[in-house]
Amino acid sequence: MFYQSQHFGVSEYFCKETGKDFSFPMHMHHSFELITVLDGEMTVNIGEQKYLLCRGEAVLIFPEQIHSLSSQKSEHLLVIFSPDIVSAYYSRHSGEYPESNRISLSEYIYSQIVSLEDELSTVKLKAIFYSVCSEFDEGAAYVKRKNAEKGLLREMFEFVENNFDKSCTLEELGTAIGYNSSYLSRYFSESTKMSFVAFVNRYRVSRACHILKNSDKSVMECAYECGYMSLRSFNRNFKLYAGRSPKEYRRTV
């Protein structure tokens, strides 16, 4: 699952996936994201809060909330949906974030989410996602969100999305968006608690995991496709962030 900004915010867009041992670095996008753990444990960082989700537990992430996912052993169900699907709810809370992103899903709502298909009518989609938001809203408290949490940081995330397969340096980022690279380095580190270089490598490894899992491309081809000119650097960073070598990862997924 990749968080490509061009897909999100599109009217009535949604996607659903299940998977295992999923991790993804800090990012944000323009849609709601519902994550439910089916087995094992997953750590989800949302803003400055950390949630350890066990089997049956879930979070609802709001548009523009910075978040990351980390898991060594888990199964999950993940749904991303455009705020246009729940426009009345979103317009009421578009300037807010929830104090807590935890959500308790009833068995009925959970079964409806599992049944989601691309062919569902607009009416059915709206009914399901409004039900999710309604359950969340019943016990939620909200706070005004800070404008600093979007804008520039989103531009930086989107630059990496579009350039991770190239050199993708801070200097190139600065030239592209019109900021001093030293300022961007400091701003990114303060906002995400990691360096820009570490984020780029985490993102590349996340993309590499998808390629290794869903194609027959060689490790070398995967490395080049994810922006690594050196197989040695690719293997080192892959093991650092995925916890095993590319070949070991392919054998175990």
Side-chain angles (χ1 to χ4, degrees), residues 35-252:
I35 304 169
T36 304
V37 172
L38 306 178
D39 197 17
E41 294 182 346
M42 174 183 283
T43 299
V44 183
N45 290 287
I46 307 173
E48 297 180 356
Q49 297 195 60
K50 178 183 289 188
Y51 301 89
L52 177 62
L53 303 183
C54 301
R55 182 175 182 176
E57 297 181 328
V59 290
L60 178 64
I61 302 166
F62 273 43
E64 310 280 350
Q65 276 196 296
I66 301 169
H67 57 286
S68 65
L69 318 174
S70 177
S71 173
Q72 293 295 320
K73 189 171 180 61
S74 71
E75 294 183 28
H76 71 272
L77 169 65
L78 186 151
V79 181
I80 294 177
F81 58 98
S82 165
D84 289 342
I85 295 179
V86 290
S87 57
Y89 174 76
Y90 179 63
S91 63
R92 186 154 55 93
H93 296 293
S94 60
E96 301 173 326
Y97 286 148
E99 287 186 349
S100 171
N101 292 85
R102 285 190 181 274
I103 179 173
S104 298
L105 295 171
S106 66
E107 290 186 14
Y108 174 75
I109 296 299
Y110 176 77
S111 68
Q112 293 296 297
I113 294 169
V114 171
S115 71
L116 282 169
E117 297 176 357
D118 292 338
E119 296 76 19
L120 285 179
S121 68
T122 299
V123 172
K124 182 65 172 176
L125 280 178
K126 287 180 178 288
I128 293 173
F129 288 122
Y130 266 116
S131 294
V132 170
C133 292
S134 177
E135 287 205 349
F136 181 81
D137 196 46
E138 284 181 6
Y142 300 90
V143 295
K144 293 290 184 182
R145 69 179 182 180
K146 302 174 183 177
N147 289 332
E149 292 180 351
K150 57 178 185 175
L152 177 56
L153 195 57
R154 183 175 63 230
E155 286 188 81
M156 298 176 79
F157 285 140
E158 290 178 352
F159 178 85
V160 176
E161 273 187 15
N162 296 325
N163 295 277
F164 74 94
D165 56 341
K166 310 177 186 68
S167 57
C168 200
T169 66
L170 268 170
E171 288 71 23
E172 291 165 335
L173 169 63
T175 299
I177 65 176
Y179 280 84
N180 177 273
S181 60
S182 296
Y183 171 78
L184 291 176
S185 177
R186 185 171 61 255
Y187 177 82
F188 192 88
S189 296
E190 290 173 353
S191 300
T192 66
K193 311 307 178 189
M194 75 174 75
S195 72
F196 181 77
V197 172
F199 173 75
V200 172
N201 281 314
R202 283 178 180 270
Y203 189 90
R204 285 171 169 167
V205 169
S206 295
R207 297 296 293 246
C209 287
H210 179 80
I211 294 170
L212 291 170
K213 182 179 179 181
N214 296 284
S215 78
D216 295 324
K217 293 180 180 179
S218 69
V219 172
M220 178 70 78
E221 288 176 309
C222 181
Y224 286 154
E225 192 168 317
C226 293
Y228 288 99
M229 297 299 103
S230 162
L231 186 59
R232 183 178 180 181
S233 294
F234 175 65
N235 286 331
R236 182 178 65 249
N237 281 290
F238 194 96
K239 191 165 186 179
L240 175 64
Y241 296 118
R244 50 199 141 166
S245 71
K247 290 182 179 178
E248 291 171 335
Y249 179 84
R250 174 169 267 168
R251 284 199 302 265
T252 56

